[in-house]
Amino acid sequence: MDQGWFSKPVAVSVGITGTIRHISNAQQAVELLTGQWRDAGSLQHGAALRACRRAMNGDVSTEIARDAFVGAAREAHVLVE
């Protein structure tokens, strides 16, 4: 299984203190999405989780996974732009 490196990291704000994390690959995104995700269970969350897992398996491009993760982060209001 591949980590699915993104072309550019995605900055997100996590936790109570809003610590900025730079998510560089699909594996890191999956760990965050399955951990303390603010909007867990939403359609965007599920799509991002599936896309990142598929990118790790080589079934979809890492850019598709990155775009899905960005969408979920934007929906959860944790994307740092």
Side-chain angles (χ1 to χ4, degrees):
M1 195 174 286
D2 187 18
Q3 289 181 325
W5 291 96
F6 296 157
S7 61
K8 180 181 174 188
V10 178
V12 293
S13 172
V14 297
I16 304 243
T17 60
T19 303
I20 305 297
R21 284 191 52 197
H22 297 276
I23 305 303
S24 301
N25 59 51
Q27 181 177 352
Q28 291 174 346
V30 166
E31 289 169 3
L32 186 58
L33 288 164
T34 57
Q36 305 169 354
W37 195 253
R38 189 177 295 174
D39 259 354
S42 73
L43 290 177
Q44 291 277 355
H45 172 265
L49 196 51
R50 281 188 302 279
C52 288
R53 286 181 173 152
R54 291 185 70 202
M56 290 171 61
N57 288 328
D59 296 334
V60 299
S61 78
T62 56
E63 290 313 296
I64 289 173
R66 184 185 184 281
D67 289 346
F69 180 68
V70 166
R74 186 171 282 126
E75 176 188 61
H77 303 289
V78 296
L79 183 65
V80 178
E81 296 187 86

